[in-house]
Amino acid sequence: MRHLRLRATTVVLLMLCMMYFITYLDRVNVSTAAAGFAKEFNLSKTEIGLVFSAFAYPYLVFQIIGGWVSDKFGARRTLIWCGLLWALATVLTGFAGGLISLLLARLLLGLGEGATFPAATTAMSRWVAKDKRGFAQGITHAFARIGNAVAPAAVVWIMAEHGWRESFYIFGAFSLVWVIVWAFVFTEDPVRHPRITPEELAILPPGKKKSPQIPWGPLFKRMMPVTIVYFCYGWTLWLFLSWIPQYFLHSYDLDIKKSALFASSVFFAGVVGDTLGGIVSDKILRSTGNLKRARSYMVSVCMLLTLLSLLPLMFTHNLYVSIISLSAGFFFAEMTIGPMWAIPMDIAPEYSGTASGMMNTGSALAAIISPVLSGYLIDKTGNWELPFLGSMVLMGFGVLLAFRMQPDSKFENTTPDAGGQAIKARA
C-alpha cells in the first residue's frame, strides 16, 4: 500500500490549503453572524463595519513583522503560535457581550492571522518548485475562497440550530485541530522530512542558506508598486467578504437562507478564479519563459475584466444581473491571486516572507478602510451598489500600475555585512 501514500510535498501543500480555508472561515463568519449579533447588540451599519474592519488593524501591523519572523525563525513555529492565537480569538468572539468585546476579539484575531500568509509563502519558497508557484498560491487561496463560500451557509445552519455564538466555538475547535496536525507533519527543511523522496528534492529550490541582513529600504522600494496594486485588489476583496451576505439580505429583502446561498455562489466563483489564475500564470511562464507576461500582464488584464464585470451594477437593480455581475467580478479579481503571490518569491526568494508581508499590507490597509467606508455610504445613502463604484475606480488604477511590477528582475542585496563588506548576491 506504500505506493498509495501521498508525497511529502503534497501533504505540505494540503496542510497549507486547509490553513487558508480555516483562517478565512474564521475571519468571514462574522459577516453572516452579524445578522444575529447586530440585532442582539443593536448595532448600526457603520458599527458593523467597524467590527468587520477591527481585524485588519493588527493584521496590517503584523504583515511585515510576521514575514520577518517566518524568514528568521521558520514557518513551522510561526504558524503554530499564530494558530493558537487565532483559535483563541475565534472562541472569544462567541463570548462577546457587546460592541467593545466584539472589537477586542476581532483585534486578537487579526494579531493571530497577521503572519499566516507571509509564513505560508516562506514555506512554499522551500517546498514548491519555481514553475509551480502560481499554482500553489492559486490553489491555497482557492481554499480560502471555499472558506468564504462555506461560511455563510455553515453559519446560517449553526445559527438556526443553536445560535450565532456556537458558530465561533465550532470554528475555533477546527483551528486547534489544524495546529496539532501541522506541528507533526511539517519540517522547515524538506531534506529533514522523513518521507521526502529524491525525486521531490530534485525539483525543489536549493536548501536555504543563512541570509544576510534584510535590506529593508531597497526591498520596500522594490515591493511598493506590488503593494499598491494589491491594495487596489484588496479593496474589492474586503468589500465582497464583508458586505456581500448583507447585500443580498437587505438590498433585495431576501431571507437569510437565500441571501447566504447567493453569497456562497459569488464566493464559489472566486474559488474557480483562484485555481484557474495560478494554472494560467504558470502555463504562460512555461510556454514563454517571460515572468512579466505571466505575472504583471495577467494581473492587468484580469483587473480590467473585473472592472467591466461590475459596471452593470451601476445601471440596473436586478437580482439575477447582480448575481452574474458580482460572480464574474469576483472570478476575475481572484484570477490575480496566483500571479500576485508568486511575485514576492520571484523577486526575492530569500526574503519571500518579508516581501509577501510588505505586499499584503496593501490588502490589510484596504481591509481597514473598505468595510467601514462602505457601511458609512450605505447608512447615508441607502444605496447598496454605490460602494462598488470605488472598486471599479481602484481596479482601473491597478490596471495601469500593474505594468510597474518587475517580477522578471530579481532583487539584488547590497547590504553591508557585519564586517562592513558589501554583499551582492542575486536572490
Side-chain angles (χ1 to χ4, degrees):
M1 297 294 291
R2 186 178 179 182
H3 63 284
L4 295 177
R5 295 175 66 185
L6 293 174
R7 288 171 169 259
T9 49
T10 303
V11 171
V12 168
L13 186 58
L14 284 173
M15 284 300 299
L16 291 174
C17 286
M18 289 307 302
M19 184 203 79
Y20 279 62
F21 171 79
I22 293 171
T23 54
Y24 263 83
L25 198 67
D26 287 349
R27 73 176 69 171
V28 305
N29 52 8
V30 70
S31 300
T32 304
F37 67 69
K39 184 177 180 180
E40 182 175 335
F41 302 142
N42 194 29
L43 303 181
S44 68
K45 297 294 188 298
T46 304
E47 288 172 328
I48 295 170
L50 285 172
V51 174
F52 293 161
S53 69
F55 156 89
Y57 291 92
Y59 186 74
L60 168 66
V61 172
F62 279 89
Q63 286 302 304
I64 298 175
I65 296 173
W68 173 78
V69 168
S70 62
D71 281 338
K72 186 173 180 63
F73 298 105
R76 182 178 181 274
R77 282 187 286 179
T78 302
L79 289 177
I80 287 173
W81 285 106
C82 285
L84 292 173
L85 275 178
W86 91 61
L88 174 63
T90 304
V91 172
L92 288 177
T93 306
F95 285 100
L99 177 61
I100 300 301
S101 50
L102 273 174
L103 292 174
L104 291 174
R106 293 287 292 174
L107 287 168
L108 184 62
L109 182 69
L111 176 64
E113 293 196 3
T116 51
F117 287 8
T121 301
T122 296
M124 288 183 213
S125 70
R126 302 169 191 175
W127 278 87
V128 176
K130 180 178 179 180
D131 65 346
K132 294 183 179 179
R133 288 171 177 171
F135 169 76
Q137 291 287 8
I139 194 68
T140 49
H141 282 83
F143 271 78
R145 300 303 167 255
I146 294 174
N148 302 151
V150 168
V155 172
V156 165
W157 181 81
I158 295 170
M159 286 173 64
E161 294 294 322
H162 305 287
W164 67 268
R165 297 178 185 276
E166 282 72 13
S167 65
F168 293 97
Y169 304 151
I170 293 170
F171 294 160
F174 288 160
S175 298
L176 288 173
V177 171
W178 182 89
V179 172
I180 294 169
V181 177
W182 174 257
F184 281 101
V185 305
F186 183 77
T187 60
E188 209 63 54
D189 189 343
V191 174
R192 296 181 179 274
H193 198 284
R195 292 184 50 234
I196 197 76
T197 65
E199 294 79 12
E200 289 175 287
L201 288 174
I203 63 172
L204 293 180
K208 180 179 172 67
K209 299 178 181 179
K210 186 176 180 180
S211 299
Q213 184 179 357
I214 294 174
W216 291 100
L219 184 59
F220 183 79
K221 182 179 179 181
R222 185 62 197 284
M223 291 300 298
M224 180 57 70
V226 187
T227 301
I228 298 174
V229 171
Y230 207 57
F231 172 85
C232 296
Y233 155 81
W235 187 278
T236 296
L237 171 69
W238 290 102
L239 172 62
F240 272 64
L241 298 188
S242 300
W243 288 107
I244 287 296
Q246 300 293 306
Y247 171 81
F248 286 116
L249 183 66
H250 297 293
S251 184
Y252 290 100
D253 295 321
L254 301 177
D255 62 53
I256 192 169
K257 291 183 178 179
K258 285 184 178 179
S259 64
L261 177 63
F262 289 138
S264 294
S265 68
V266 172
F267 293 141
F268 269 120
V271 174
V272 180
D274 276 303
T275 307
L276 188 61
I279 293 172
V280 171
S281 181
D282 285 344
K283 186 177 178 65
I284 294 172
L285 178 59
R286 284 192 292 268
S287 62
T288 67
N290 190 317
L291 275 169
K292 197 166 182 70
R293 290 183 185 177
R295 312 298 195 216
S296 302
Y297 293 176
M298 180 174 168
V299 168
S300 184
V301 169
C302 289
M303 283 188 155
L304 176 61
L305 292 173
T306 302
L307 188 161
L308 295 175
S309 297
L310 295 177
L311 269 177
L313 295 175
M314 299 297 104
F315 301 102
T316 183
H317 184 74
N318 178 277
L319 176 60
Y320 297 104
V321 170
S322 293
I323 293 170
I324 294 171
S325 182
L326 292 169
S327 297
F330 201 51
F331 169 80
F332 289 119
E334 290 304 293
M335 279 195 72
T336 66
I337 284 293
M340 284 298 299
W341 277 88
I343 287 174
M345 292 188 283
D346 295 328
I347 290 177
E350 288 298 311
Y351 314 104
S352 57
T354 305
S356 63
M358 290 177 178
M359 180 189 79
N360 206 27
T361 57
S363 177
L365 180 60
I368 292 172
I369 304 171
S370 179
V372 177
L373 183 58
S374 299
Y376 177 79
L377 288 173
I378 295 167
D379 270 338
K380 290 297 182 182
T381 68
N383 187 330
W384 285 81
E385 279 77 28
L386 188 59
F388 294 102
L389 180 60
S391 290
M392 289 186 283
V393 171
L394 287 171
M395 281 292 172
F397 184 61
V399 168
L400 300 176
L401 192 60
F403 291 100
R404 296 292 303 275
M405 301 188 299
Q406 302 292 331
D408 53 335
S409 176
K410 291 185 179 180
F411 178 74
E412 292 187 353
N413 175 21
T414 56
T415 303
D417 63 10
Q421 300 297 315
I423 299 171
K424 187 176 182 180
R426 289 186 69 84

